Amino acid sequence: MDEKKPLFAEVLLPLPVKGTFTYRVPVDFREEAEVGKRAVVPFGRNKIYSGIIYRLHQNEPQKYKAKDVRNILDEKPVITSEQTRLWEWISEYYMAFMGETMNAALPSAMKLASESKVKLHPAYDGVVSDLSMPEHKILENLGDNVALSIKEISKITGYRNVMPVIKNLIEKECVIMQEELQNTFKPKKEPFLRLAREYVDSEQELQNLLDNFSNKAYRQMEVLMMFLSKTGNDRSALVARKRIIAGDSKYNAAIRALVGKGILIEEKKTISRIDNFKAAEEVGNITLTVDQVKALTQIHEGFANDKVSLLHGVTSSGKTEIYIHLIEEQLQKNKQVLYLLPEIALTAQIINRLTYYFGNEVVVYHSRFNEQERTETWNLVLNKQRRVIVGARSALFLPFRDLGLVIVDEEHDNSFKQYEPAPRYQGRDVAVYLGRMFHASVILGSATPSVESYANAEAGKYHLAELHKRYGDIQMPEIQVADLVKASKQKQMYSHYSYMLLKNIKETLDKGLQVILFQNRRGFSLRLQCQQCGWMPECPNCDVGMIYHKYQNNLRCHYCGHKAKVPEECPECGSTAVKMQGFGTEKIEEELPNHFPDVKIARMDLDSTRSKNAYYRLISDFEARKLDILVGTQMVTKGLDFDHVGLVGVMNMDNLLGFPDFRAFEKAFQLLAQVSGRAGRKGEQGKVIVQTRQPYHSVIRYAMNNDYHAMFKSQLQERKIFKYPPYYRLVRITLKHKDQDTVYKASQVLAGALRARLGKRILGPEFPAIARIRRLYLRNILVKIANNDDKKNIKKFILDEIRTLSKENDYKSVKVAVDVDPV
């Protein structure tokens, strides 16, 4: 570049706006400016953001004067060129802004945005009359060089909206507002101790020190001896302070005294937040069965032909052992591996298995880690200090350097789909693109593959490898159906448990085996209902009933989180005959001791696993047989490997079969097959009891016969007739507004504009099953795009029509969300 000409940077900001923004690079930052680094830039009137330098050039904007870059934050680029290519593809395919993709990709500690702070006005002399009490409180808390955020002022005053109060103080020249940018990532530092140089260099000096210790300084002598035992032969070594204290505070004073005397020197050292492991075993010690060797050969054939490999293996067939062999092959080539899982709960078991073989090559990345840990993991991957990355879908955005293998385990799972906010990407499909971008091998694994993936395999787009038998030739679990209609007539129902289920639970526990009970609803009771007038409590923000949670003794909306007290009487008719209907995991957990009083029971659902390590504790306790029965939602169905589960009970299969979705039967089969697969993985054949009012439903029969292919063919036939995936791609457009009439009219206008070109490919607009969420009314339009259509131009046309709608005065406030390949 011409050094005489000014330099400009195209900066990508984490905002839902189109394109990048041009900023002038001052001479002071010219040498530091580099694509992939973060730059601090002003935006709008007074906001400050950190954005990514996307491109550097010397083309000065003609229509406006470019603002200056304020600072360059990084010594080296934190974003790779492969990442920006991936962001571009995601943004184009999933019809999102690049800023939205960047926002989803970066850990929050790497996205800096200014915060409005309130400070004392430079001319304020402390003398102002007619101040209100809230204004007095604010000024009392604003001392010299003290700045308060809006949130802090809200707490001080007790007002939710404090801006009018702040505005009054600004007008009275008591305070000013300014923007401050704060970097929230801080390296973790811990105190370390080392021996003073004179005692390191001279054995005699050290001996004299030890000989001359006073009897009164016994604790100091004890600490010094513990320190020397930790250093071994290297007396100059640093020893972590916590290794000496070992959680015992009685040594603190002695350490302070030794530091004060100059015998020990204390210094802070940056350490990793990421746990380190030690490899304990060689992968070569895993003995593969004949079937596993055959499947591994088939997978390699797919890789050799540059195809994605789909591993269809029944539950407990040993897919993980094959993955471990594939990982070892890539590590020998010094390549990185991405191992994707749909649920955070699964990472606990997989991490234990992978670290057993690969030690500190393994690192975990998912949303339950705090922003500091996620940022540190980002840097480890960027510098290729960890080569086996295990995580949920957000791990796709890490800065891989040399990716050799992508594994998508349980590839059928809906948890790989991002719902809110944009980009609403499908993690499985992004993983396939990521692998191709790096020329890496990609393997999708599942006992119940998605219809789309299996269709790709049948069409030759993917290479198919199959495992039809369980590891060790263990039989597939026996599935029995408990007919709830028949059981009710014969008076063999005990609350929500059939006699068949209770009998089998008792027999299983008597054998010393464990039980898993699956209910796809959390909470205690699904609804309250007045027996006199039929009233049921509904969320004021959403068109959905409130669910009773006994643990917190409140009603809660599972869509917006609204909470309410349990009414003592019906607010409509005043009747006290308000009864609970339906049941969730919380109620099962409470009722089971009535039937099995001495049994240890735990619950695994969203409510019981909110803390970072809750999954790990529950799974570890169940593995260690500290628990007899595990009650859970979908979390217990996915890939967990327990040796001693003899029985799985499905409490209410009808909830899964009655969902209004073209994928309902596929999802029901997958859930039933997956949860059944938790039983009998070691030893004798397991058993599954399915409670249902539809005992002869085709989905249940397919699962009883373990006949995935029959389910697949039936679904494929229906979807071809009605033009659904895999024969057509779907784009769902959701319009949202607080006024029902406005969203209705806007959806009619948009649907009409789309239908003028796309005709019968447009379905709707229709109100969804839940027509209002978080006080916004919803209206859906579904677009069907044939596989041979020009998808790129159709998507561009859809976005153009959405932008046209947003420019109309009547519909400017209507929010529009686009979901490509909805699930």
Side-chain angles (χ1 to χ4, degrees):
M1 290 188 181
D2 189 344
E3 293 188 4
K4 294 180 181 179
K5 287 186 176 181
L7 183 65
F8 295 91
E10 295 298 323
V11 178
L12 180 63
L13 298 176
L15 300 171
V17 290
K18 188 177 180 180
T20 57
F21 296 86
T22 307
Y23 291 88
R24 180 180 169 275
V25 180
V27 175
D28 292 347
F29 297 131
R30 189 165 181 137
E31 289 186 9
E32 296 178 52
E34 191 176 345
V35 172
K37 289 184 178 181
R38 291 175 301 160
V40 177
V41 295
F43 186 77
R45 289 187 177 180
N46 52 16
K47 292 296 289 182
I48 303 169
Y49 286 96
S50 68
I52 298 295
I53 299 178
Y54 195 71
R55 188 167 63 90
L56 293 168
H57 60 84
Q58 293 183 308
N59 303 319
E60 187 171 355
Q62 299 300 311
K63 296 182 179 179
Y64 60 91
K65 184 179 179 181
K67 296 178 181 178
D68 283 356
V69 169
R70 298 272 185 93
N71 199 1
I72 304 291
L73 294 174
D74 307 302
E75 292 182 8
K76 298 178 181 178
V78 293
I79 304 296
T80 66
S81 58
E82 288 84 4
Q83 280 178 291
T84 53
R85 280 174 57 199
L86 181 67
W87 295 0
E88 287 168 358
W89 181 82
I90 290 173
S91 302
E92 181 183 311
Y93 185 85
Y94 292 102
M95 302 169 70
F97 294 113
M98 275 280 284
E100 291 175 316
T101 305
M102 171 190 170
N103 196 40
L106 292 180
S108 55
M110 295 180 70
K111 297 175 291 189
L112 311 184
S114 63
E115 184 179 17
S116 297
K117 295 274 190 173
V118 176
K119 278 189 169 184
L120 287 176
H121 194 287
Y124 175 65
D125 57 6
V127 181
V128 178
S129 58
D130 70 332
L131 288 177
S132 66
M133 184 59 69
E135 291 170 348
H136 267 298
K137 285 184 177 180
I138 294 170
L139 293 176
E140 284 173 3
N141 285 273
L142 284 173
D144 291 337
N145 298 318
V146 173
L148 295 175
S149 67
I150 305 299
K151 189 175 181 180
E152 290 168 333
I153 291 175
S154 183
K155 284 184 179 179
I156 290 167
T157 60
Y159 287 16
R160 290 186 65 182
N161 183 13
V162 294
M163 288 311 297
V165 181
I166 294 171
K167 187 179 178 183
N168 286 341
L169 287 172
I170 291 172
E171 290 174 353
K172 295 171 183 177
E173 295 189 348
C174 296
V175 300
I176 56 173
M177 283 188 73
Q178 62 183 41
E179 295 293 311
E180 288 190 3
L181 193 73
Q182 293 183 334
N183 190 346
T184 57
F185 177 70
K186 294 178 181 177
K188 185 177 181 180
K189 293 190 175 184
E190 283 191 0
F192 279 71
L193 299 168
R194 61 178 173 83
L195 197 60
R197 176 53 59 185
E198 60 191 282
Y199 305 114
V200 173
D201 295 340
S202 172
E203 181 79 28
Q204 188 60 48
E205 287 291 334
L206 178 61
Q207 191 58 51
N208 292 340
L209 173 68
L210 296 174
D211 292 341
N212 294 327
F213 252 105
S214 167
N215 290 333
K216 294 181 180 179
Y218 169 75
R219 188 77 70 195
Q220 294 175 37
M221 179 69 167
E222 187 181 3
V223 167
L224 188 56
M225 295 305 293
M226 284 192 293
F227 171 84
L228 292 172
S229 71
K230 302 291 183 186
T231 61
N233 295 327
D234 183 10
R235 290 206 191 109
S236 62
L238 282 166
V239 179
R241 194 175 194 270
K242 67 180 181 181
R243 284 188 64 198
I244 299 171
I245 294 175
D248 196 338
S249 59
K250 67 184 179 184
Y251 297 113
N252 284 328
I255 290 175
R256 285 196 298 270
L258 289 169
V259 171
K261 292 175 181 178
I263 298 170
L264 293 179
I265 310 297
E266 185 172 281
E267 59 185 68
K268 295 277 187 174
K269 184 180 175 184
T270 300
I271 65 165
S272 173
R273 293 180 173 87
I274 311 301
D275 292 331
N276 288 312
F277 309 90
K278 290 184 179 179
E281 191 59 83
E282 291 185 6
V283 173
N285 292 339
I286 298 176
T287 303
L288 298 182
T289 65
V290 173
D291 288 339
Q292 287 174 318
V293 170
K294 183 180 176 182
L296 186 59
T297 302
Q298 291 172 334
I299 290 166
H300 282 134
E301 288 173 2
F303 293 167
N305 293 318
D306 200 25
K307 287 185 178 180
V308 172
S309 285
L310 175 64
L311 177 57
H312 177 205
V314 297
T315 55
S316 193
S317 57
K319 294 186 288 294
T320 305
E321 283 75 16
I322 292 175
Y323 297 152
I324 289 171
H325 270 274
L326 293 170
I327 292 169
E328 173 68 8
E329 291 170 7
Q330 295 302 320
L331 293 186
Q332 288 177 359
K333 299 175 185 176
N334 197 29
K335 298 275 189 176
Q336 290 176 306
V337 176
L338 173 60
Y339 192 133
L340 281 183
L341 292 159
E343 286 279 1
I344 298 167
L346 295 182
T347 60
Q349 280 193 326
I350 292 296
I351 282 295
N352 287 339
R353 296 188 70 177
L354 293 183
T355 53
Y356 184 73
Y357 293 104
F358 304 119
N360 59 8
E361 289 286 4
V362 181
V363 69
V364 189
Y365 189 84
H366 56 63
S367 58
R368 286 294 173 93
F369 285 176
N370 63 45
E371 62 182 55
Q372 309 289 335
E373 292 168 322
R374 284 161 68 89
T375 304
E376 194 164 308
T377 301
W378 181 284
N379 292 329
L380 286 173
V381 176
L382 180 66
N383 297 318
K384 209 177 174 183
Q385 291 173 283
R386 297 292 173 95
R387 293 186 294 166
V388 181
I389 297 90
V390 183
R393 62 176 183 266
S394 58
L396 287 161
F397 294 110
L398 286 168
F400 300 102
R401 289 290 191 184
D402 197 4
L403 192 61
L405 175 67
V406 179
I407 300 168
V408 184
D409 201 11
E410 309 296 342
E411 66 85 27
H412 67 278
D413 201 284
N414 289 340
S415 298
F416 281 122
K417 176 69 175 180
Q418 163 73 12
Y419 294 98
E420 292 290 345
R424 297 169 182 85
Y425 63 94
Q426 166 57 263
R428 175 196 63 217
D429 298 339
V430 174
V432 171
Y433 182 84
L434 178 68
R436 286 176 177 164
M437 197 171 69
F438 276 93
H439 302 289
S441 301
V442 179
I443 180 167
L444 311 179
S446 176
T448 54
S450 64
V451 168
E452 289 90 336
S453 292
Y454 205 82
N456 281 336
E458 285 210 330
K461 185 177 178 181
Y462 292 171
H463 191 84
L464 182 63
E466 296 193 280
L467 287 166
H468 299 292
K469 296 179 182 178
R470 282 186 152 191
Y471 189 84
D473 286 330
I474 294 170
Q475 289 181 290
M476 294 296 292
E478 177 191 1
I479 300 179
Q480 296 181 0
V481 175
D483 186 343
L484 297 184
V485 174
K486 185 177 179 181
S488 296
K489 288 179 180 178
Q490 296 177 348
K491 297 185 178 179
Q492 291 187 339
M493 288 298 297
Y494 304 88
S495 183
H496 305 291
Y497 308 87
S498 64
Y499 172 76
M500 179 189 289
L501 179 59
L502 291 175
K503 177 174 174 287
N504 278 276
I505 291 175
K506 184 177 185 306
E507 290 175 355
T508 303
L509 295 174
D510 287 345
K511 292 177 184 177
L513 297 175
Q514 295 169 297
V515 177
I516 290 177
L517 295 180
F518 166 62
Q519 166 66 357
N520 204 28
R521 291 286 188 275
R522 60 190 172 98
F524 187 86
S525 175
L526 301 188
R527 62 188 181 277
L528 298 182
Q529 187 169 18
C530 175
Q531 304 301 296
Q532 295 295 325
C533 68
W535 170 86
M536 290 188 294
E538 287 194 357
C539 174
N541 307 318
C542 313
D543 286 346
V544 67
M546 303 274 279
I547 302 215
Y548 175 58
H549 287 252
K550 188 169 185 178
Y551 177 73
Q552 295 181 329
N553 193 31
N554 62 21
L555 297 169
R556 197 185 310 167
C557 173
H558 286 179
Y559 285 84
C560 70
H562 177 78
K563 296 178 183 179
K565 291 183 179 179
V566 181
E568 295 181 1
E569 59 183 34
C570 174
E572 295 290 329
C573 68
S575 171
T576 56
V578 180
K579 291 189 176 181
M580 297 178 187
Q581 308 287 333
F583 64 102
T585 50
E586 196 177 352
K587 189 172 185 181
I588 297 171
E589 182 188 29
E590 184 181 276
E591 284 187 348
L592 275 173
N594 298 334
H595 303 284
F596 308 101
D598 300 323
V599 168
K600 294 174 183 175
I601 303 162
R603 174 167 48 93
M604 187 174 177
D605 57 23
L606 185 63
D607 297 320
S608 66
T609 56
R610 292 188 184 276
S611 66
K612 175 181 168 183
N613 296 313
Y615 293 111
Y616 184 79
R617 286 195 298 270
L618 271 172
I619 290 169
S620 297
D621 287 349
F622 198 65
E623 278 183 315
R625 306 183 76 174
K626 295 178 182 178
L627 302 170
D628 300 303
I629 301 178
L630 183 63
V631 180
T633 54
Q634 290 188 34
M635 292 179 184
V636 301
T637 71
K638 304 172 182 179
L640 294 171
D641 187 8
F642 300 118
D643 291 349
H644 306 287
V645 175
L647 176 71
V648 169
V650 180
M651 298 298 297
N652 188 358
M653 186 67 192
D654 302 316
N655 281 345
L656 304 174
L657 297 172
F659 201 74
D661 178 38
F662 77 92
R663 285 195 176 93
F665 288 177
E666 177 193 1
K667 291 177 182 177
F669 175 87
Q670 288 166 340
L671 269 170
L672 183 51
Q674 289 286 341
V675 75
S676 300
R678 301 315 108 207
R681 297 175 74 89
K682 300 285 191 300
E684 65 179 78
Q685 183 184 22
K687 187 179 284 187
V688 181
I689 304 296
V690 180
Q691 296 194 149
T692 178
R693 289 177 171 78
Q694 306 174 69
Y696 299 102
H697 195 288
S698 60
V699 168
I700 297 175
R701 294 293 143 178
Y702 293 147
M704 289 177 71
N705 298 325
N706 191 35
D707 197 345
Y708 171 83
H709 293 90
M711 184 282 297
F712 170 74
K713 288 177 182 176
S714 69
Q715 289 299 296
L716 211 59
Q717 188 176 5
E718 283 187 14
R719 295 186 190 186
K720 190 171 185 178
I721 294 169
F722 295 105
K723 299 181 179 179
Y724 280 102
Y727 300 101
Y728 279 72
R729 297 292 177 91
L730 302 180
V731 177
R732 183 172 60 209
I733 305 165
T734 302
L735 293 88
K736 307 176 184 181
H737 198 270
K738 61 183 179 181
D739 179 64
Q740 187 175 7
D741 189 49
T742 300
V743 77
Y744 179 88
K745 289 177 180 177
S747 64
Q748 292 294 127
V749 171
L750 181 57
L754 296 175
R755 194 171 279 116
R757 174 175 168 181
L758 301 176
K760 293 182 180 179
R761 288 184 175 86
I762 305 300
L763 297 183
E766 296 288 347
F767 286 108
I770 299 172
R772 188 174 63 116
I773 297 176
R774 294 184 177 90
R775 299 190 177 183
L776 296 176
Y777 288 94
L778 314 179
R779 213 59 175 149
N780 285 342
I781 300 169
L782 194 66
V783 184
K784 292 183 177 182
I785 306 174
N787 287 339
N788 58 358
D789 283 339
D790 187 347
K791 301 177 188 66
K792 192 171 182 179
N793 276 331
I794 289 176
K795 288 178 180 179
K796 183 179 181 302
F797 166 69
I798 292 170
L799 289 175
D800 288 343
E801 291 302 326
I802 291 172
R803 291 189 188 104
T804 300
L805 179 79
S806 66
K807 291 175 183 177
E808 295 188 27
N809 290 330
D810 293 340
Y811 308 126
K812 279 183 177 180
S813 56
V814 175
K815 297 179 180 178
V816 183
V818 181
D819 189 359
V820 178
D821 299 336
V823 298

